[in-house]
Amino acid sequence: MKDKDLENRLLECIRAFYGDVRSILDRFKGLNSFELLISTIISQNTNWKNVERAMTNLRNENLLSVDEVLKADISVLEKALRVAGLYRVKAARIKEIAKKLKSWRLRLEDILSLDLHDARAKLMELPAVGYKTADILLAFKANTPIIPIDTHIERVAKRLGLVNHNASYEEIRQRLEGFVPPDERALFHLALIKFGREICRARNPACDVCPLSNVCPSSSIRL
């Protein structure tokens, strides 16, 4: 199959999930930049139900601002984050991020107002913030037409043969952005994650119900 045909098939497939993830997009847009950053840190190695529970705990304790995080005892943060796992690590990271932002005397909104290259570089100076976390903030709070790449998206792109198995984060991002329209990239990111979690799973992928089985070189079946 030609690359263009595969791209079109993937777009068609993932667009079918857009309706399922619009509520997540709305939730992201309803968070301020610091809240979205914190929720992204919390999301590591857990599911979004646990993230939402942890965020509710933080909100109830008034721990969703730089100043309040800095004032709080680490044990209070840990208790609020316990439901999301790795709570000691995550609490320490959130504290470190708050300290760094305070030392810079910058709001995240100030950073996100910079041009893409400078904003991305500055965000990645924060503790525990890599490409994906920086790009999530850029995509959902700065409306930058960028596709953050997480493990699910990486897996799907490699299984479909869109990129080789040694492809870097940036190679995957640029490959997807080469055919996903800019105004769809935020939804595409969320929908492709859903596809990766529910169909193109890391273990036991559901090839029997995957609409891309007949064009996927990694499929266990051929239609």
Side-chain angles (χ1 to χ4, degrees), residues 24-26 28-31 33 36-37 40 108 111-114 116 119-120 123 130-149 153 169 173 177 181-190 193:
I24 300 174
L25 179 62
D26 290 340
F28 280 7
K29 289 186 173 180
L31 299 173
S33 300
L36 181 57
L37 173 56
T40 305
L108 282 169
I111 299 172
L112 292 171
S113 69
L114 301 172
L116 172 59
R120 210 172 183 223
L123 288 169
Y131 282 115
K132 183 193 81 170
T133 301
D135 287 351
I136 285 173
L137 284 166
L138 289 163
F140 296 105
K141 300 314 299 181
N143 296 317
T144 304
I146 197 167
I147 300 176
I149 306 301
I153 293 175
Y169 180 101
R173 180 182 68 79
E177 289 174 9
D183 62 346
E184 292 186 41
R185 289 174 186 170
L187 271 175
F188 184 88
H189 162 82
L190 295 171
I193 289 174

Side-chain angles (χ1 to χ4, degrees), residues 100-177:
K100 181 68 79 172
L101 287 170
K102 191 71 171 180
S103 71
W104 286 346
R105 298 183 181 179
L106 284 174
R107 300 175 306 144
L108 282 169
E109 288 77 10
D110 298 325
I111 299 172
L112 292 171
S113 69
L114 301 172
D115 67 56
L116 172 59
H117 179 270
D118 291 343
R120 210 172 183 223
K122 193 67 177 175
L123 288 169
M124 289 175 62
E125 290 181 29
L126 292 168
V129 174
Y131 282 115
K132 183 193 81 170
T133 301
D135 287 351
I136 285 173
L137 284 166
L138 289 163
F140 296 105
K141 300 314 299 181
N143 296 317
T144 304
I146 197 167
I147 300 176
I149 306 301
D150 84 331
T151 55
H152 302 287
I153 293 175
E154 178 180 354
R155 180 172 66 252
V156 174
K158 289 181 177 180
R159 280 180 175 171
L160 283 172
L162 286 168
V163 296
N164 65 51
H165 284 277
N166 296 317
S168 67
Y169 180 101
E170 284 292 83
E171 289 171 332
I172 300 168
R173 180 182 68 79
Q174 291 171 14
R175 179 71 176 90
L176 294 177
E177 289 174 9

Side-chain angles (χ1 to χ4, degrees), residues 17-52:
F17 290 84
Y18 283 7
D20 296 337
V21 299
R22 284 188 188 277
S23 61
I24 300 174
L25 179 62
D26 290 340
R27 287 204 298 275
F28 280 7
K29 289 186 173 180
L31 299 173
N32 65 39
S33 300
F34 186 68
E35 290 170 342
L36 181 57
L37 173 56
I38 295 313
S39 68
T40 305
I41 297 296
I42 296 170
S43 72
Q44 295 165 6
N45 300 108
T46 194
N47 59 53
W48 274 104
K49 283 187 177 180
N50 289 338
V51 174
E52 289 175 349

